[in-house]
Amino acid sequence: MAMDASEIERMIKEALPDAVVRIDDLRGDGDHYAATVTSTAFAGLSRIKQHQLVYAALKGRMGGQLHALALTTQTP
């Protein structure tokens, strides 16, 4: 079952309220996305920790409903 881009954005913003999120559907299949997430919550964190925050926001849907997510994180 594919996941809608708006659902991904909603979940990320729920966990990181100040986040600016851009989601691109890479193949048009609802399974392969690229996301750019900008949040002050990432300040001082390693890239790995930043990505872990985003994956945690998706509440276990990676690898199931969401097959692939190319992730870019940054601070404002």
Side-chain angles (χ1 to χ4, degrees):
M1 173 183 249
M3 203 169 167
D4 187 65
S6 63
E7 178 71 3
I8 297 167
E9 181 177 358
R10 183 194 64 76
M11 292 178 79
I12 293 170
K13 286 185 174 185
E14 185 177 284
L16 303 166
D18 78 322
V20 175
V21 181
R22 188 184 81 229
I23 307 286
D24 297 305
D25 189 341
L26 299 175
R27 294 189 183 172
D29 61 3
D31 278 335
H32 299 83
Y33 290 101
T36 302
V37 182
T38 305
S39 174
T40 57
F42 300 145
L45 298 179
S46 69
R47 189 76 60 197
I48 291 170
K49 292 288 186 188
Q50 293 174 17
H51 287 205
Q52 287 174 339
L53 281 178
V54 175
Y55 292 137
L58 298 173
K59 302 176 183 173
R61 287 178 174 83
M62 279 302 303
Q65 284 181 300
L66 181 57
H67 177 72
L69 180 67
L71 188 56
T72 302
T73 53
Q74 55 195 18
T75 55

